Each structure stands twice: as structure tokens, then as C-alpha cells.
Amino acid sequence: MKILRTLPLMFALLTSGNVYAQDEWQTEGVVEGNLPASWQTLKAQMHYPDSWLSGNFKDFHEWQAHSRQLFRSALLTPNATIPFSPHSIAKEDRGSYTAEKLSLNITDDNRISALLLMPKTPGPHPAIVLLHDHGSKFDIGKEKLIRPWGNAEQLASAQAWADKFFSGKFIGDELASRGYAVIAIDSPGWGDRGPMVYEQQQALASNYFNLGRSLAGEVAYEDMRTVDFIAAHAGVDSKRVGVLGFSMGGFRAWQLAALSEKVAATAVISWFGTYNGLMQPGNNVLRGQSAFYMLHPGMPAHLDIPDIASIAAPKPMLIFSGGKDKLFPAEAVKDAFDKMHRVWSSQQADDKLVTKSWPELGHVFYQEQQNEVFPWLDRWLKP
């Protein structure tokens, strides 16, 4: 009796067109990295038929509308029907701008808090929706990006995070001082909507599925609603709303640009690659838990990561990756960048796409990167 004990042999048989004989079978169902034993053959079937680069579409705008609707449906989240009804909780004067904590109906089911920074100069102002990272640090979310007040312990936690990843800067406050209206919310589990612990994430995601919803979809739709809210603000120019995110926030940034036509420019820091490059033994996305915040059911059968981000083309997008970022292998990032440039070039808009790998940096958004991102945002969002 011949038993297939190794994945390479099984893969060779399957890809050569052979099938198992009656006396052959798998002897393991799960292999390294919590992957199914058939993961290589499953990956080989991922041809991304709904990609613009597939050649299956002739009109870019028709493809864009089709893919955006496909992605929106995957969120498993209904459209909100009730008004935001914002209410001010607390304010602080910060010189050239004000900081405000407010509550609002982000969906029909969730009323949450947000931090809003507004310049004192006459508007309407350009705006930035800031999207916080994961980092397995749940006590703060929006406060990772906008300096909190009124809570010494929270401020100390937020400052330590800024020191570690942002060269000591609060990104939102830096942008507000440059004349932007800035808003940030907590995703489920962070800040005022937490804190939870790492091991709870998988159960939370499964319970969303039990309720007919999706954790990743909830996050994405709430981000869409945040854009809607700030775009409708009396002090904001609705045509000049940008998004910026770091790490998981970077993932949220490019997906938000794909989902919302109201996003005028997008900056993605430290979250990009291809499914082929990331779905490798040892990669962080194979661990489950935090990955559920970024898993939309069925989407990888239709579109690769850069395909989804490309729904935003030909609008301006900037994507930075650290050469020493262990979460995103260089080859996966390069392949994704190449796909993106092919799409923007197809629309004669390659000058609107900036991709860059920083060889000496890891998973960070340091001062030297900020010094390039902020002027880039100014170029596209300021008159």
C-alpha cells in the first residue's frame, strides 16, 4: 500500500493531472502554519477572475463599479438608515486648532465615540480620516493617532505608542497643525470599545458570523461611515477628504479607498502585499486571531489585495513599506507594487501612484516617512 506522507509528493501528483488511486490518501489534514494540507493546490486555483488585470473586462469604469459592488457585498453589513446625531462630550483648545470628543451613530446598531480635530481658520478645510493600527494593544485605538486628554494613564499609553512607532508624534495633531480637519474612531475591541485581549478575537469574529455579519465587514463599513460623516461636516470640503493608516490602519486605508468614492487621496503605511506572497508558512496572517479583522468571506477567490486597492484608481495613492518589515516579505510587496502600477498606468495615471520601500526601516511610520507623506497629501488635498 502506497501512502502519501509528504505534501510535495501529493502536490506533484495533483498538479501533474494525476488523481489518487484507491490505496492513496492524505495522512495529515493540517500542515505548517495551520494551513490545510491542500493549500498549494488551492492557491493554484486563485486566478482572480475579477481583476482588471485578468483581461476579462474592457471598460475600466464598468470594472470599477462591478468590483466595488462585489467588495461591498462581501462586507455582510446593511446600509445605515438613521442620522449620525453627533453630540459633543468634551473639548480642548490646542492653539491653532480644537480637539473634540463626540458621540455619533456610526451604524444603526452602534453609537460610538470619536476624536475630531478642527482648525480655527475659516473653512471649508481638507480632511483626513485616520485609521488606527492593531499592534495587539487594545487599551487605546483612536488615541494612538490623536493625543487624548483628561486621562493621565491613557495619555501615557498613547505617548509610549507614538514614541515607538511615530517618532514621538501624534499623527492627527501634526495634520491638524497643517490645516486639516482630522477624525479617528475606535474599531470594535479598541479604546472606548474595549479593551479586549488577544485570545478573544477569534471568538468575536465567529460570533459576528453567527449573527449573520462579519467582523472585518463591520470595521470596513464603519470606516465608510466615518468618511460620510466628515465629508458632510460644515467645516470640511467634501471633495478633499483623504485617508491615512498605519499597519492594520494601512489595510483599512486602501480598502476604504476602494469602497468609498468620496476618498480623494490615500496614504498606506506598512500593510501591503499579495495573497500569494503572504500565504506562506510562518507569516503572521496565518495565525488567525487578528487576521479576522481583515478577512472578507470569499473575496480572495475574486480579487488579489492589489486588485482591491486598484478599485480606487486613478485617484492618488501612496504606499510605503519597510524593507525590514518581517510581516510583509519584500517579494510580496514588490509583486503587489508592480500590479498597482500596471493598473494606474493603464489609466494614464502612474504619476498619481507612489510606492516605496524603505530599506533600513521596519514596521514603523517614522519622522522621515512623515516628511514625505504630509507634503504628498498637501499636493492632492490642498487648493
Side-chain angles (χ1 to χ4, degrees):
M1 179 180 295
K2 180 169 63 175
I3 300 176
L4 299 180
R5 295 189 178 277
T6 63
L7 184 60
L9 177 57
M10 179 177 68
F11 182 51
L13 283 168
L14 287 172
T15 56
S16 66
N18 294 326
V19 296
Y20 295 139
Q22 290 184 344
D23 60 349
E24 299 170 343
W25 60 83
Q26 294 179 359
T27 60
E28 56 182 349
V30 182
V31 297
E32 181 185 359
N34 297 318
L35 286 160
S38 57
W39 73 282
Q40 290 280 22
T41 56
L42 293 176
K43 278 184 68 175
Q45 298 170 35
M46 297 172 71
H47 302 300
Y48 311 116
D50 291 280
S51 167
W52 171 246
L53 300 175
S54 68
N56 295 330
F57 300 84
K58 301 303 180 184
D59 184 277
F60 186 80
H61 296 293
E62 289 182 3
W63 167 79
Q64 194 175 48
H66 161 80
S67 297
R68 179 172 284 133
Q69 181 55 45
L70 180 70
F71 190 20
R72 175 65 185 90
S73 297
L75 303 190
L76 307 183
T77 307
N79 291 327
T81 62
I82 63 175
F84 292 105
S85 301
H87 173 74
S88 182
I89 300 171
K91 285 187 177 182
E92 183 178 71
D93 190 313
R94 294 189 177 176
S96 64
Y97 60 97
T98 59
E100 182 178 14
K101 186 171 185 178
L102 50 84
S103 60
L104 72 155
N105 298 318
I106 200 66
T107 65
D108 288 3
D109 309 302
N110 296 296
R111 185 170 180 85
I112 67 170
S113 65
L115 293 179
L116 175 67
L117 306 179
M118 188 64 64
K120 292 181 179 178
T121 54
H125 306 285
I128 298 290
V129 174
L130 284 182
L131 306 164
H132 70 72
D133 59 72
H134 189 291
S136 299
K137 183 174 177 59
F138 301 102
D139 63 312
I140 50 175
K142 58 191 181 299
E143 298 84 9
K144 294 178 178 180
L145 297 163
I146 294 176
R147 179 168 58 85
W149 71 100
N151 184 322
E153 182 179 355
Q154 186 182 64
L155 176 58
S157 180
Q159 186 63 63
W161 200 253
D163 291 344
K164 183 176 181 179
F165 291 105
F166 309 134
S167 297
K169 307 289 186 179
F170 284 98
I171 302 302
D173 291 80
E174 293 296 309
L175 288 165
S177 69
R178 298 176 71 97
Y180 289 94
V182 181
I183 190 169
I185 68 168
D186 296 316
S187 287
W190 276 271
D192 290 335
R193 305 178 78 183
M196 63 179 179
V197 298
Y198 187 88
E199 291 75 19
Q200 288 179 287
Q201 296 175 99
Q202 205 135 306
L204 176 64
S206 68
N207 286 325
Y208 264 96
F209 288 135
N210 288 335
L211 292 165
R213 301 290 182 88
S214 159
L215 175 57
E218 183 80 47
V219 171
Y221 185 64
E222 290 183 355
D223 289 342
M224 291 176 66
R225 286 277 286 172
T226 306
V227 170
D228 292 344
F229 174 78
I230 197 67
H233 195 286
V236 168
D237 183 342
S238 63
K239 302 298 183 183
R240 294 188 287 146
V241 176
V243 299
L244 185 157
F246 164 69
S247 191
M248 183 185 78
F251 172 96
R252 293 166 62 193
W254 57 253
Q255 79 169 4
L256 181 52
L259 287 164
S260 176
E261 295 182 84
K262 296 178 182 178
V263 174
T266 307
V268 177
I269 314 298
S270 296
W271 208 113
F272 213 61
T274 60
Y275 282 123
N276 183 60
L278 299 182
M279 291 291 293
Q280 300 289 347
N283 192 274
N284 194 55
V285 302
L286 305 186
R287 296 170 61 184
Q289 295 294 356
S290 59
F292 277 91
Y293 279 94
M294 294 160 275
L295 294 177
H296 299 288
M299 281 304 295
H302 298 276
L303 297 164
D304 197 359
I305 290 166
D307 295 326
I308 297 174
S310 293
I311 297 172
K315 291 182 179 179
M317 185 174 291
L318 174 149
I319 312 174
F320 283 173
S321 186
K324 294 184 178 180
D325 191 335
K326 296 179 180 179
L327 299 178
F328 299 94
E331 193 63 29
V333 174
K334 179 183 180 300
D335 289 347
F337 283 175
D338 289 346
K339 281 191 170 186
M340 296 286 283
H341 281 284
R342 288 171 61 193
V343 177
W344 261 257
S345 292
S346 76
Q347 302 306 303
Q348 295 77 48
D350 207 42
D351 61 319
K352 294 182 179 179
L353 177 66
V354 174
T355 61
K356 181 176 180 178
S357 180
W358 295 71
E360 301 305 314
L361 296 182
H363 197 70
V364 295
F365 185 27
Y366 280 172
Q367 182 72 60
E368 54 264 46
Q369 297 166 297
Q370 297 168 31
N371 290 342
E372 292 192 18
V373 171
F374 296 162
W376 182 87
L377 289 170
D378 291 346
R379 175 188 176 190
W380 297 109
L381 296 176
K382 290 187 174 181

